[in-house]
Amino acid sequence: MLRCNNSSGPAMFLYQLHEAGRSWMAPLTYWAEANAKAFSAAGSWLSALPGAERVSAANELLYRIGKDYEKPAFDIHSVEIEGNAYPVVEKLVLDKPFCRLLRFKRYTDDAESITELKGQQPVLVVAPLSGHHATLLRDTVRTLLRDHKVYITDWVDARMVPSERGDFSLDDYVAYVEEFIRTIGAEDLHVISVCQPTVPVLAAVALMAARGEPTPRSLVLMGGPIDTRESPTAVNNLATQKPLWWFEHNVIHQVPANYPGSGRRVYPGFLQHTGFMSMNPERHFQSHWDFYQDLVKGDMEDAESHRRFYDEYNAVLDMPAEYYLDTIRVVFQEFLLPRGLWDVAGERVRLEAITGTAILTVEGELDDISGQGQTRAAHKLCTGVAAADQAHLTVEGAGHYGIFSGRRWRTLVYPQVRDFIARYAAKPASGAPRKRRRPAAGKPRR
């Protein structure tokens, strides 16, 4: 891979300048937070002053613009199943340097319910490593918990990974997915990949199939860039209009000394966030203005909805430079997966090797990140999967996020995902090999 000198020039100090600005803003941010509370608290004499609502609203807006946004919690503590509430505990299954495999385990004291829960199918949700935290899939997980044992990949902010833990590339991502599948147990597993991981998930399953390993019963591929030559979006165009060295020189920076990952090369979260905001600046400006107006009017329900959305949206992580640049090259510039030319750690990815795994693809009609046809391309590439074991869903009126979160996900998408998984829980896909007995220590976790 072509590398440019990233150790000289103004770009070298961009991350450091960002951190300095953040530190400089901190006192103002704390002051704005205190003012917002002082001018709105019921017991404060300041709240009785004329115009107190506007002063409080302006200060809270300033506070939220300047504050740091930490990774939100999944905050899934219970799930309702057929009118009964089941406690849910978040458990760490596997701890890797760049990712944590989590399990959301449901509990009950009812013997009949325990038997029913144990009999449900395990689902691995592979979250994207593309700026936001895996908590963006909170609604996805909560909905799946009604009918499944749910695992998720919880990617670690690269600035928090010490440099001595090594690099993390797209090949490493594929290896992680393989390890997670083996850890849970492939024989009864169903994998749901959302957006970016559709590519490494397909690669992982193809490599496992080519080696003769058991593969998951089904794959649900949602809004992913499997073949970005189909209906290219503005995101795709940016990646193709600039050479690889441009990305390395302009968006890759070193983590400052105040983080455990000091010296690691990353695509910083704050740059990614700037990119997110610049895609729809008018919408975000209007949203913040509406938030201010809601606070002035005392519409706390809408104000709280704004807080919840931006607490998630503004929480971003740094991506490892190697992984990011690999993705730009492999997925968006050279299209190696659909062209059948991708080698992962010396092994050629042959999608036709997948035979015993059913495939459902899901696309949003209005997706402006992964255009229509990019995910559906998996069907023409996975020629070893019988036509009867392939299905596609285009969600009318849905954008990128609507296919895995919100009302359309819960009412339109999930019922079809649930039924597809159930179909292959009862029987394997047409080309599935006979199950192999696994060692007792490797049995799937319940």
Side-chain angles (χ1 to χ4, degrees):
M1 179 185 295
L2 177 65
R3 294 200 178 275
C4 66
N5 186 359
N6 201 38
S7 61
S8 63
M12 171 188 176
F13 300 105
L14 184 59
Y15 207 145
Q16 286 76 7
L17 289 172
H18 170 77
E19 288 297 303
R22 190 173 64 86
S23 299
W24 180 85
M25 279 287 293
L28 178 61
T29 302
Y30 299 145
W31 175 78
E33 180 185 22
N35 276 348
K37 293 179 179 178
F39 280 89
S40 63
S44 171
W45 64 270
L46 292 172
S47 64
L49 294 176
E53 299 88 352
R54 294 186 180 278
V55 174
S56 175
N59 275 276
E60 180 166 354
L61 184 58
L62 177 61
Y63 161 67
R64 293 192 61 81
I65 290 173
K67 73 184 291 285
D68 288 334
Y69 287 85
E70 301 295 333
K71 176 188 174 183
F74 278 99
D75 200 29
I76 301 175
H77 303 295
S78 67
V79 60
E80 185 173 315
I81 305 174
E82 297 180 353
N84 298 315
Y86 291 76
V88 175
V89 175
E90 182 181 314
K91 302 185 69 176
L92 178 63
V93 177
L94 196 61
D95 193 6
K96 304 285 289 181
F98 290 89
C99 190
R100 302 161 68 239
L101 178 62
L102 302 180
R103 163 81 189 277
F104 293 88
K105 185 173 176 62
R106 302 159 299 174
Y107 286 87
T108 178
D109 292 330
D110 180 70
E112 185 177 341
S113 297
I114 291 174
T115 301
E116 182 178 349
L117 294 180
K118 284 184 176 181
Q120 292 180 345
Q121 295 290 290
V123 172
L124 169 62
V125 179
V126 184
L129 175 53
S130 56
H132 287 108
H133 293 277
T135 51
L136 195 67
L137 303 185
R138 183 185 298 104
D139 195 25
T140 316
V141 171
R142 185 182 289 113
T143 305
L144 285 165
L145 279 169
R146 301 174 191 167
D147 306 287
H148 308 92
K149 309 168 188 175
V150 182
Y151 300 78
I152 192 170
T153 58
D154 185 27
W155 299 100
V156 177
D157 190 336
R159 67 183 177 181
M160 304 306 293
V161 183
S163 298
E164 56 266 24
R165 302 306 297 267
D167 297 337
F168 184 80
S169 66
L170 185 57
D171 284 9
D172 294 319
Y173 193 124
V174 174
Y176 271 35
V177 173
E178 290 184 38
E179 184 174 0
F180 294 156
I181 289 173
R182 295 188 193 101
T183 298
I184 301 169
E187 291 92 338
D188 294 314
L189 181 64
H190 304 264
V191 177
I192 297 177
S193 60
V194 179
C195 189
Q196 162 269 325
T198 54
V199 172
V201 164
L202 269 178
V205 174
L207 291 171
M208 295 176 76
R211 300 186 201 112
E213 296 184 56
T215 59
R217 287 192 170 224
S218 74
L219 291 180
V220 179
L221 308 172
M222 307 180 72
I226 293 169
D227 189 348
T228 56
R229 296 172 297 182
E230 302 280 346
S231 305
T233 64
V235 175
N236 306 147
N237 291 336
L238 173 64
T240 56
Q241 291 169 359
K242 305 288 187 182
L244 191 64
W245 64 260
W246 183 93
F247 291 95
E248 184 159 16
H249 184 72
N250 288 278
V251 305
I252 302 301
H253 302 279
Q254 289 189 343
V255 176
N258 54 316
Y259 292 105
S262 173
R264 177 179 297 283
R265 299 170 69 245
V266 298
Y267 179 17
F270 70 88
L271 283 182
Q272 299 170 60
H273 184 261
T274 301
F276 300 152
M277 299 293 283
S278 66
M279 290 180 68
N280 294 286
E282 298 88 358
R283 189 185 69 183
H284 291 294
F285 177 83
Q286 187 62 48
S287 178
H288 283 75
W289 174 249
D290 291 343
F291 174 63
Y292 169 80
Q293 297 282 50
D294 289 336
L295 291 174
V296 172
K297 292 182 297 184
D299 188 347
M300 293 300 108
E301 185 176 346
D302 282 352
E304 184 56 32
S305 177
H306 174 97
R307 293 188 190 101
R308 285 196 302 270
F309 175 81
Y310 280 98
D311 281 349
E312 192 78 55
Y313 191 81
N314 292 339
V316 290
L317 51 75
D318 292 358
M319 283 193 280
E322 302 78 22
Y323 159 79
Y324 173 73
L325 295 171
D326 282 351
T327 300
I328 292 292
R329 178 180 62 85
V330 171
V331 179
F332 295 101
Q333 292 189 346
E334 299 181 6
F335 321 108
L336 296 185
L337 179 66
R339 293 172 61 207
L341 300 175
W342 188 16
D343 292 328
V344 173
E347 291 183 87
R348 177 58 55 93
V349 176
R350 297 186 298 105
L351 293 184
E352 65 272 17
I354 303 174
T355 58
T357 299
I359 297 176
L360 168 65
T361 55
V362 182
E363 295 180 341
E365 178 191 19
L366 307 178
D367 194 333
D368 59 355
I369 295 178
S370 294
Q372 284 197 51
Q374 293 188 11
T375 312
R376 192 170 190 164
H379 296 297
K380 65 183 178 184
L381 298 171
C382 297
T383 56
V385 180
D389 296 325
Q390 301 189 40
H392 176 76
L393 170 64
T394 297
V395 187
E396 294 184 4
H400 186 70
Y401 297 100
I403 61 176
F404 61 84
S405 181
R407 178 182 56 83
R408 284 189 177 87
W409 152 248
R410 292 189 295 270
T411 61
L412 299 178
V413 181
Y414 175 65
Q416 298 202 43
V417 171
R418 178 196 61 209
D419 294 347
F420 187 80
I421 290 174
R423 187 183 316 153
Y424 293 96
K427 67 177 183 67
S430 303
R434 180 179 297 177
K435 279 190 180 183
R436 302 179 181 183
R437 183 173 297 277
R438 306 172 74 238
K443 287 183 179 179
R445 292 172 171 80
R446 289 193 174 93

